[in-house]
């Protein structure tokens, strides 16, 4: 086999060049993630019911939905918890169940249960868990004129919250690399009406009159059909109050006088009483947890996100954007660790070649074979849909060390035959053929250690599958 390849140097060179180019192209298209894309066999159904006690919510909503969900195929265990105003149903499936199909079936069962639920209840929400749902970074939005651990201007912060919810969050979620931006630190808002006691006393209007006026204007009956002979009319009454200005412009009649609410009371949007805060460097902040699409490149996501935040920073100079809890640093450290291993490998090869082999050209040959092997490995990553993550890169780092050992052994054996007077082709053929069997045995025994990881059940087996794949492919190509 070795002699056959040595007799066709151009074909071998072109084949390896083609594989190197294909591997290099696929490297830039590989998805880069912190962890492998593993579907956790769990689905959570959230039930909300404001102003409902735990017992009422359990009997009217949670129990009917749970009975429907018991029919989902592949279900291993189901648990439910109910408290005042909210309920949670946790479903655990057998490992290996297609969670995408199970998620569709869960939503179908929820739709079927909606017919027996009270009309005022919102549709329960199903949530599918995945290892890639971990936020890769957090984006904090703060006011520049704020001081650390000092009181924040409430109106300015509410404007910041409105901008974060309606503009920044939606724009970030429009990026193809971002799956979701989960927002926290936004206080609830309510409409505050403060009547002027003196004006109410002068006009003779009572608090009850104000309440009746608000109730009368905060209705939306919808469409009605009126038949008149052969004609039909669709009438829609829409008086729902949606903005503070709508409330201010409500008319109140008292005797012969007609007044607006803004003449009798002060109307403003204020924040509700908070149960927690989001702080960044001591300043009150709105925090966006950025979750990446599982099949997208992390570096591309960071570049797009920085471009978006820089754009908003130029539009709103009073707002400061800051990235924190950046989980990508661990992945960057792993990639830099791989680069360091390659650099140290080249250094050790050079030292060994100088002091033991007495040849300076050997490190170049070994280095080319190592880089080519790693780049070709990326093609199999792309072909088998394995992402570059901490687990797969750790396996590749282990494979690099074993590649160096094999390269040094073969090169040193060829050098010994050269010293015996063999020609270059004969030394390469004899030295490689002599070592290929023990090298192949050594690689196969190493691979055999990681093969049981493929058959390991549960999420642990799915995680270490990437490591076993990296080592196996790397050694076989080397």
């Amino acid at each position: 086999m070795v002699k056959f390849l040595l007799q066709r140097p151009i074909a071998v060179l072109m084949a390896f060049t083609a594989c190197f180019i294909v591997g290099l192209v696929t490297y830039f298209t590989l998805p880069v993630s912190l962890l492998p894309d593993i579907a956790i066999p769990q689905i959570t159904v959230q039930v909300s019911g404001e102003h409902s006690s735990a017992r009422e919510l359990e009997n009217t909503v949670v129990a009917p939905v749970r009975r429907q969900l018991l029919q989902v195929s592949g279900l291993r265990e189901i648990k439910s918890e109910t408290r005042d105003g909210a309920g949670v149903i946790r479903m655990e499936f057998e490992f290996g169940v297609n969670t995408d199909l199970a998620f569709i079936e869960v939503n179908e069962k929820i739709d079927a249960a909606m017919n027996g639920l009270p009309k005022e209840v919102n549709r329960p929400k199903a949530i599918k868990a995945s290892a890639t749902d971990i936020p890769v970074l957090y984006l904090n939005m703060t006011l520049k004129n704020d001081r650390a651990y000092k009181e924040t201007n409430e109106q300015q912060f509410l404007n910041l919250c409105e901008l974060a919810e309606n503009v920044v969050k939606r724009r970030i979620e429009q990026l193809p690399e971002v799956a979701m931006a989960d927002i926290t630190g936004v206080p609830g808002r309510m409409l505050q009406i403060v009547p002027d006691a003196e004006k109410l006393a002068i006009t003779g209007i009572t608090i009850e009159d104000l309440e009746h006026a608000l109730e009368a204007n905060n209705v939306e009956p919808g469409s009605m059909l009126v038949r008149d002979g052969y004609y039909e009319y669709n009438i829609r009454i829409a008086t729902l109050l949606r903005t503070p200005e709508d409330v201010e412009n409500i008319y109140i009649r008292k005797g012969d006088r007609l007044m607006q609410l803004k003449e009798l009371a002060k109307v403003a949007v204020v924040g509700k009483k908070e149960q927690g805060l989001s702080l960044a460097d001591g300043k009150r902040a709105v925090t966006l947890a950025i979750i990446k699409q599982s099949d997208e490149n992390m570096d591309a996501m960071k570049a797009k996100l920085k471009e978006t935040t820089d754009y908003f920073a130029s539009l709103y100079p009073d707002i400061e954007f800051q990235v924190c809890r950046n989980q990508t640093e661990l992945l960057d450290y792993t990639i830099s660790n791989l680069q360091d291993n390659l650099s140290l490998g080249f250094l050790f090869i050079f030292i060994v070649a100088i002091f033991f082999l007495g040849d300076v050209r050997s490190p170049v040959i070994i280095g080319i074979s190592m880089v080519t092997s790693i780049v070709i490995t990326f093609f199999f990553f792309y072909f088998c849909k394995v992402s570059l993550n901490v687990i797969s890169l750790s396996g590749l780092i282990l494979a690099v060390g074993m590649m160096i050992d094999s390269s040094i052994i073969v090169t040193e054996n060829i050098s010994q035959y050269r010293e015996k007077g063999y020609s270059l082709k004969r030394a390469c053929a004899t030295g490689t053929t002599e070592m290929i069997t023990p090298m192949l045995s050594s690689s196969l025994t190493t691979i055999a250690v990681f093969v049981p990881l493929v058959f390991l059940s549960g999420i642990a087996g799915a995680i270490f599958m990437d490591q076993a794949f990296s080592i196996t492919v790397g050694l076989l190509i080397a």
Side-chain angles (χ1 to χ4, degrees):
M1 181 65 180
V2 178
K3 293 181 179 179
F4 176 80
L5 295 176
L6 289 175
Q7 292 173 357
R8 294 164 176 80
I10 297 178
V12 172
L13 179 62
M14 295 303 295
F16 271 89
T17 303
C19 293
F20 181 82
I21 293 174
V22 171
L24 196 62
V25 171
T26 54
Y27 169 74
F28 293 103
T29 59
L30 281 176
V32 181
S33 304
L34 186 64
L35 292 173
D37 184 15
I38 301 171
I40 299 175
Q42 293 179 354
I43 294 178
T44 303
V45 179
Q46 295 179 347
V47 179
S48 61
E50 295 183 359
H51 313 297
S52 298
S53 64
R55 184 181 297 276
E56 179 186 359
L57 193 63
E58 169 69 24
N59 295 332
T60 59
V61 182
V62 175
V65 173
R66 187 174 59 241
R67 282 195 294 268
Q68 287 287 340
L69 295 177
L70 285 172
Q71 306 173 31
V72 177
S73 59
L75 183 62
R76 178 182 176 185
E77 187 178 12
I78 184 169
K79 297 179 181 179
S80 63
E81 298 176 4
T82 309
R83 61 181 184 273
D84 292 344
V88 177
I89 302 174
R90 295 183 175 88
M91 307 174 63
E92 185 175 346
F93 296 85
E94 298 289 345
F95 188 80
V97 172
N98 191 326
T99 54
D100 293 331
L101 297 179
F103 185 72
I104 295 174
E105 190 174 357
V106 167
N107 280 279
E108 290 176 350
K109 298 302 180 184
I110 292 175
D111 292 335
M114 287 298 294
N115 296 326
L117 302 184
K119 294 183 179 179
E120 64 273 10
V121 174
N122 295 326
R123 184 186 184 279
K125 183 179 180 182
I127 301 173
K128 182 178 64 172
S130 175
T132 55
D133 291 341
I134 301 174
V136 294
L137 55 88
Y138 291 81
L139 178 65
N140 293 322
M141 296 175 59
T142 57
L143 296 170
K144 286 186 177 180
N145 57 3
D146 268 4
R147 298 179 61 187
Y149 305 106
K150 300 294 182 180
E151 193 69 25
T152 303
N153 187 298
E154 184 177 10
Q155 192 57 47
Q156 290 183 0
F157 187 74
L158 288 177
N159 294 336
L160 171 64
C161 295
E162 185 176 359
L163 175 68
E165 283 184 303
N166 300 329
V167 180
V168 178
K169 180 178 183 294
R170 295 183 181 181
R171 180 66 188 92
I172 290 177
E173 288 182 337
Q174 290 175 356
L175 298 176
E177 295 83 6
V178 176
M180 186 179 69
D182 188 18
I183 190 168
T184 56
V186 177
R189 289 185 285 270
M190 64 180 181
L191 188 69
Q192 185 183 65
I193 300 176
V194 182
D196 190 327
E198 294 183 1
K199 293 183 179 179
L200 292 181
I202 294 173
T203 57
I205 298 176
T206 62
I207 299 297
E208 288 76 15
D209 295 333
L210 296 180
E211 292 177 355
H212 292 322
L214 289 171
E215 291 176 359
N217 285 271
N218 201 28
V219 295
E220 191 173 17
S223 298
M224 295 185 296
L225 191 64
V226 180
R227 291 184 175 87
D228 182 14
Y230 295 102
Y231 299 96
E232 294 182 353
Y233 303 93
N234 286 320
I235 301 174
R236 180 176 178 83
I237 301 174
T239 58
L240 190 66
L241 304 174
R242 292 183 173 86
T243 63
E245 289 75 17
D246 293 339
V247 179
E248 290 178 342
N249 295 328
I250 292 177
Y251 287 94
I252 302 174
R253 180 184 292 276
K254 189 67 174 180
D256 296 333
R257 300 185 63 181
L258 187 65
M259 293 166 287
Q260 287 184 312
L261 184 61
K262 61 184 176 183
E263 301 175 10
L264 304 171
K266 181 181 178 182
V267 180
V269 176
V270 298
K272 291 183 179 179
K273 185 178 179 180
E274 296 176 323
Q275 298 179 345
L277 294 175
S278 177
L279 298 177
D281 295 334
K283 298 181 181 180
R284 196 173 174 185
V286 176
T287 303
L288 295 167
I290 309 300
I291 299 175
K292 184 185 72 70
Q293 290 282 6
S294 59
D295 55 348
E296 292 291 341
N297 189 289
M298 192 172 291
D299 291 334
M301 188 213 70
K302 290 194 295 185
K304 288 287 185 180
L305 185 63
K306 187 178 186 307
E307 181 182 346
T308 303
T309 53
D310 290 344
Y311 172 74
F312 282 119
S314 63
L315 286 182
Y316 306 100
D318 297 335
I319 299 176
E320 184 178 1
F321 295 85
Q322 180 185 7
V323 174
C324 70
R325 287 181 281 177
N326 192 348
Q327 303 295 326
T328 62
E329 293 176 356
L330 178 60
L331 185 62
D332 293 338
Y333 172 77
T334 307
I335 294 176
S336 65
N337 193 8
L338 177 62
Q339 295 173 348
D340 293 341
N341 280 0
L342 287 175
S343 302
L344 291 175
F346 288 135
L347 179 62
F348 291 150
I349 291 170
F350 187 79
I351 295 174
V352 169
I354 292 294
F355 288 97
F356 295 96
L357 303 181
D359 187 8
V360 182
R361 294 175 297 178
S362 298
V364 178
I365 299 172
I366 298 173
I368 292 174
S369 65
M370 285 176 53
V371 173
T372 305
S373 300
I374 294 174
V375 172
I376 295 175
T377 304
F378 293 139
F379 168 73
F380 288 91
F381 273 53
Y382 177 81
F383 183 75
C384 298
K385 297 182 180 180
V386 177
S387 64
L388 290 178
N389 52 71
V390 175
I391 305 299
S392 62
L393 286 175
S394 63
L396 201 57
I397 290 172
L398 292 174
V400 166
M402 300 172 191
M403 293 177 190
I404 296 174
D405 295 339
S406 301
S407 301
I408 292 176
I409 291 172
V410 174
T411 306
E412 192 271 340
N413 198 43
I414 293 174
S415 300
Q416 288 184 0
Y417 280 102
R418 287 284 290 164
E419 292 176 359
K420 294 179 181 179
Y422 282 56
S423 64
L424 180 60
K425 287 187 178 182
R426 187 182 174 188
C428 290
T430 306
T432 306
T433 304
E434 188 177 82
M435 299 304 299
I436 195 168
T437 301
M439 275 185 7
L440 187 60
S441 302
S442 175
S443 298
L444 290 178
T445 52
T446 304
I447 293 172
V449 175
F450 294 93
V451 168
L453 295 178
V454 178
F455 302 99
L456 188 65
S457 61
I459 298 176
I463 291 177
F464 289 104
M465 172 69 182
D466 283 17
Q467 187 182 54
F469 176 83
S470 302
I471 295 175
T472 302
V473 174
L475 290 180
L476 289 178
I477 292 176

